[in-house]
Amino acid sequence: MSNDIDRQREHFNSISEKYWSARRHENHLLLKDLIWRHFFSDKAGLLRPGTALLEPMCGMAEGLQIVRKFVQEDVVYLGFDYSENMVEHARSLHPGQRIEWQDATQFDAEGQTFDFIILIGGLHHVFDRSADVVARLCAALKPGGHFLTFEPTQNTWLTRKVRQRIYEKNALFDNETEQGFDLPALDAMFTQQQMMRVDQVYPGLLAYVLYYNPDAFPLLNRGGPRAVRSAFAIDRLFWRGWLGRTLSFATITLWRKP
């Protein structure tokens, strides 16, 4: 493995307990529930029973939980991560599921193919190698299969500068290896693999800033469920339009392989 990948593995092992603890907060869990419930509300029938599901860079297997709750409960799952601590957390949460240690930059499906790939906040941790990771993963997707990503993005110099400043000053981020994506560059990684965009939304607005990263920004995590729902209701007005795209700190995209 490269020094960057080793550095990221060590970083995630070092913050895993704080990450694990903070992301069980009720505000964070409610916001994620709202985001995914609304995103999948118009996608009934997206996955059939027995879907082969791959979650690279799985962390605590959040993608498995999302798919089983909002899309299709009956899946055949493979998750992997390069942090040994995250793998152990995921295994403890999902006993009996196939969750392995593996480096996404060296991923080899060994002939196995998948109906659905879900990647939640992983590519920006291997920023310099992300295009290669996307190519490897797309090669493991069946024709007609779908690939969902949720990544930190920016579309203006202001949001880019804000994120750079945060990454420099906040110990929860490793400024040497991780960056947010300019959205056109991220999209291009998938179109270069002949992937077709099915849907794209921009949820990285007010509620995301306040409640999505309580491990990194605990002082912003104020109020209760009513505050979360109110902030998300405002975000929903903008998360498919040009203003949301311009200001959002994150993007969800669903791709399809022809």
Side-chain angles (χ1 to χ4, degrees), residues 64-75:
L64 173 62
Q65 294 174 288
I66 291 166
V67 170
R68 294 182 73 180
K69 184 172 183 179
F70 299 110
V71 191
Q72 174 59 251
E73 186 174 356
D74 181 6
V75 297

Side-chain angles (χ1 to χ4, degrees), residues 19 32 36 52-68 75-82 87 90 94 97-102 104 107 112 114-122 133 137 146-148:
Y19 184 95
K32 288 197 298 188
W36 294 112
L53 172 63
L54 174 66
E55 185 177 7
M57 308 178 78
C58 66
M60 296 182 294
E62 178 182 356
L64 173 62
Q65 294 174 288
I66 291 166
V67 170
R68 294 182 73 180
V75 297
V76 179
Y77 179 74
L78 169 60
F80 68 83
D81 201 277
Y82 52 32
V87 168
H94 305 283
Q97 296 293 340
R98 184 182 170 194
I99 301 172
E100 303 175 348
W101 181 91
Q102 192 170 163
F107 174 70
Q112 186 175 3
F114 300 89
D115 301 296
F116 195 79
I117 299 174
I118 184 166
L119 181 48
I120 307 296
V133 170
L137 294 173
H146 290 84
F147 193 146
L148 185 146

